[in-house]
Amino acid sequence: MKRNAYYITTPIYYPSAKLHIGHAYCTTIADAMARYKRLAGYDVFFLTGADEHGQKIQQKAEEAGVTPQEYVDKIVAGFQDLWHKLDISHDDFLRTTQARHHQVVQEVFRRIYEKGDIYKGAYKGLYCTPCESFWLERQLVDGKCPDCGREVKEVSEEAYFFKMSKYADRLLQYIEDNPEFIQPVSRRNEMINFIKQGLEDLCISRTSFDWGIPVPIDDKHVIYVWFDALSNYLTPIGFLDDAEKFKKFWPADLHLVGKEIVRFHAIIWPIILMALDLPLPKMVYGHGWLIVDGDKMSKSKGNVIDPLGLIEEFGSDAIRYFLLREINLGQDGNFSRDALIQRINSDLANDLGNLLQRTLTMIKKYNQGLILSPGEVTAVDEDLQKMAASTLQKYQQEMEKLQLSDAIKTVWNFISRTNKYIDETEPWVLGKDVSQKERLNRVLFDLAEALRIVSILIIPFMPKTALKIQQQLNIARDFANLHLQNAEWSDGLMVNVKVNKPEQLFPRIEVEASAEAPKKVAVPQKTPKADNVVDIIGIEDFSKVELRVVEVLAAEKVKKADKLLELKVSLGNEVRTVVSGIAQFYQPEELIGKHLVLVANLKPAKLRGIVSQGMILAASNEGMLKVVEVDMPAGSKVK
Ligand code: MSP
C-alpha cells in the first residue's frame, strides 16, 4: 500500500532558558497531530529542535562563565528530557549547532547569493557599545540606550542583504491564491496587510558577535539567526543528502508556530524558498498563547510554570489532555491549576476511569473476566453502535481541521453515552436472572467494544492511558500496528478475550479546602451539635442501635439527585434498599461487592420517593468521605 507522507514541525526553541508550559503546549499539539496522522495511515515526519545561535545566547553563556556550546548543551538536554517525559514522538531533533545544519544554511546562502538575491550593503543603526546592541530611533528612551541608559552612536556596518522586496508581489499573489496557506484567517489578514505596506530588504548577516554560522563567502560575518533557524526545516529531510526523502516530505504539510512568529514563517521563509525555487509549505498555523490565571507568563511576575513539576504531580497524560482539551487552537487559552484538577477529576477519573472500572468489574463478576459471544442487538445497543460510527467520522473531520479540542469533546460524548448505556441496561439486574444471560453478554460485550474504540481514538491525546486501557482489556499491541479503521465497531474482535484486573487510570485529586469553595457533605446521618461536643450516652442507649455488615449487590444514581445513590444490600438472608448520600464520592460500580456497615433498625425514611431501609455508615472529614468497610461476611453483627 502506498502511504501518504505528512511532514509537521514545531518551532525550534531558544535554549536561553528552560522551557515552560507554553512551549510544551505547542509541542503537544504537534505530537497529537503526528500521532493522529500515523493512525490515519500516513508516513509521518515530525520535527522539533533547538535554535542555538545568536547574540543573546552568547551573552548568557558569558554571564554563566561557560562557552556558548557548553551553555546550550546543558539546556538542550533539558528540552530532550522534557519531550521524553511528555511522550513527544518526534522523528528527529534538530540542533542548529549540528554540522549537518551548518552545511544546509551555508548552501542556502550560497545558492541565493549566486542567483543575485543576496548583496553586500551597509547596515546603518544606532549602536550601544557596552551592550553590543543596535537600536531603532523609536526604541530609545530619552535618546539613550533602553537597556543601560548610556549614549548610543550612529554606526554603519558592512552587511549582507536579502532582496525580499523583489518577491513581495509574488508572495501576496500566492497568499491570495492559497487561502489555506496561513491559518487562522485573522493571521492571514494580518500578513496580507503587512506585505501591502511594502517589504524592505532584510539584513541577514552580523559582524558584532560570532556565535553563529559563518557566511560561506565572507567569514567575518555570521548569518542572521532567523535565516539560520528557518532553514532548519530543510535539514533533516534530506535537502542536501537524500533527494528521494526530500521529494517525499517537502513541501511541509504544517509549520505549527506561535502567533508572534507567524510573520517570519509566512513572509521571510516563503521568500527564501521562492529564491531557492522550492515549493512553499502547505500551511503555517499560528496558535494562540497559553496564559496563566489570566496573565502572560513572565519571570518578573514569577508565574512561569514548569511542565516537569506538573508531569511529576499529575502524570504526562493529564497535562496533555488538559492542554489539548481546554484551549481552542487559534485562540489564547488559560492555564490554571484548579481547572486542571477539575478536568482530571471529572473527565479522566470520573467519566473515563469509572467506565473502565465498572466494565471490567462486571465482566469479572458475572463472567469470570471472559467476554462472551454477544446476544441479539436491541434498540439501545443499536443506538450505542450508531454513535460509535458517527463518533469516528466526526472525530476524523475535526482532527483533519486541527480542531483537537472538538475531537476530544466528540470522544467524551461517546464515553458519556456509554456510561449512560450502563444505567439503561442495568447489568446488575440482568446478572441476577439466569434467563437474561444472553442479554447480559451483549451488554458486557458492547461495553468492552466501546472501550476498545475509545482506547484507539485517544492515542493521539493520551498515549499512556490508551495503552493502559488496551492492557486491561488484554488487547494491547504496538500502536504502529493500529489504524483508524480499527476503531470501527466489530461484533467479533473482543469475543473470548479474557480481560485483566481493573486498575485505576486516574486517582481523584482531593482538593484542599482552601482551593475549593467548601462543599457541604451530604450524608443522611445527623451531625453532632458542634464538632467535638456530643451528648454522653449510656451503653444501654448504644445497644439500641443494630449495626450489621451488608454486601452491596447493586448501586445506581437516584434520578435528579446528584448526591444520592440507591443501593441494594444483602444482610445474608434478606435484601434491602438503602438510599445513601454518597454519590459525590463514589461511582455506583465501585461499591458493588463492598462489605459495609448498615444501621439496620433505623425507622424507614422516604427519600426522593424511595423508601430507605437503614443507613450506611461513613466517615467524613473536611469535605472527604469514606464508607466504613469491614472484611466480614454479610449479616455479621457490629458491636
Ligand atoms: N527560536 C524561535 C523560533 C524559530 S523557528 C524557525 C523562537 N523560539 S522561542 O523559544 O522563543 O519560542 C518558540 C515558540 O514557543 C513560539 O512559537 C512561541 O509562540 C511559543 N511560546 C512561547 N511562549 C508561549 C506561550 N506562553 N504559549 C504558547 N506558546 C508560547 O521564537
Side-chain angles (χ1 to χ4, degrees), residues 11-14 20 22-23 25-26 51 226 229-230 232-233 257-261 265 287-290 297:
I12 46 173
Y13 301 96
Y14 288 132
H20 58 56
H23 304 114
Y25 169 59
C26 178
D51 183 2
W226 273 99
L230 289 162
N232 96 85
Y233 300 129
V257 301
K259 60 182 180 182
E260 87 288 9
I261 59 169
H265 286 81
H287 65 74
W289 278 348
L290 197 63
M297 257 181 286

Side-chain angles (χ1 to χ4, degrees), residues 24 41 143 157 172 240-241 287 305 329 339 347 400 470 485 597:
E157 188 185 299
L172 209 49
L240 288 185
D241 53 1
H287 65 74
I305 302 228
L329 191 54
D347 301 10
E400 291 296 338
Q470 289 169 11
Q485 278 158 8
V597 179

Side-chain angles (χ1 to χ4, degrees), residues 469-615:
I469 298 176
Q470 289 169 11
Q471 281 165 341
Q472 294 190 37
L473 286 174
N474 201 10
I475 52 164
R477 53 176 152 147
D478 195 334
F479 290 158
N481 298 324
L482 278 172
H483 189 276
L484 264 189
Q485 278 158 8
N486 300 125
E488 283 168 13
W489 189 280
S490 152
D491 248 1
L493 267 175
M494 298 294 288
V495 175
N496 288 334
V497 170
K498 178 129 194 190
V499 300
N500 287 317
K501 201 168 138 267
E503 269 162 40
Q504 198 175 37
L505 292 177
F506 293 92
R508 267 186 77 84
I509 314 286
E510 295 298 344
V511 185
E512 285 163 31
S514 60
E516 196 186 46
K519 279 190 189 134
K520 274 239 150 110
V521 177
V523 200
Q525 291 103 311
K526 287 242 172 0
T527 35
K529 289 179 203 154
D531 270 0
N532 299 314
V533 188
V534 199
D535 286 341
I536 301 289
I537 58 165
I539 184 77
E540 65 290 352
D541 283 327
F542 179 71
S543 63
K544 287 183 197 158
V545 182
E546 192 199 351
L547 299 174
R548 298 277 293 275
V549 176
V550 291
E551 182 187 346
V552 182
L553 303 176
E556 63 180 304
K557 291 188 171 142
V558 174
K559 291 203 177 66
K560 296 198 187 116
D562 50 358
K563 293 170 183 159
L564 300 181
L565 288 184
E566 181 184 353
L567 310 179
K568 295 268 186 268
V569 297
S570 161
L571 280 82
N573 54 2
E574 94 175 89
V575 175
R576 289 201 196 177
T577 299
V578 179
V579 177
S580 182
I582 54 177
Q584 289 179 321
F585 303 92
Y586 290 93
Q587 282 301 309
E589 278 312 316
E590 279 176 70
L591 292 165
I592 293 177
K594 279 197 194 308
H595 285 210
L596 310 180
V597 179
L598 178 82
V599 182
N601 61 342
L602 197 66
K603 199 163 110 196
K606 208 169 189 181
L607 290 159
R608 299 270 166 169
I610 305 163
V611 178
S612 178
Q613 304 163 291
M615 184 176 81

Side-chain angles (χ1 to χ4, degrees), residues 15 52 57 68-77 95 97 211:
E52 307 186 10
I57 303 271
Q69 191 65 56
E70 283 166 344
Y71 184 83
V72 293
D73 281 352
K74 190 158 168 228
I75 298 195
V76 170
R95 301 185 57 178
T97 47
W211 181 237

Side-chain angles (χ1 to χ4, degrees), residues 320-362:
R320 291 173 63 107
Y321 178 82
F322 178 84
L323 295 173
L324 297 169
R325 166 67 180 77
E326 195 80 0
I327 303 148
N328 282 322
L329 191 54
Q331 293 152 19
D332 288 351
N334 194 43
F335 176 87
S336 93
R337 201 181 151 83
D338 287 355
L340 169 66
I341 292 176
Q342 172 82 25
R343 286 256 166 248
I344 294 175
N345 284 348
S346 77
D347 301 10
L348 303 182
N350 207 22
D351 298 345
L352 178 60
N354 279 326
L355 176 61
L356 180 70
Q357 184 96 16
R358 293 168 89 186
T359 301
L360 295 183
T361 307
M362 291 191 291

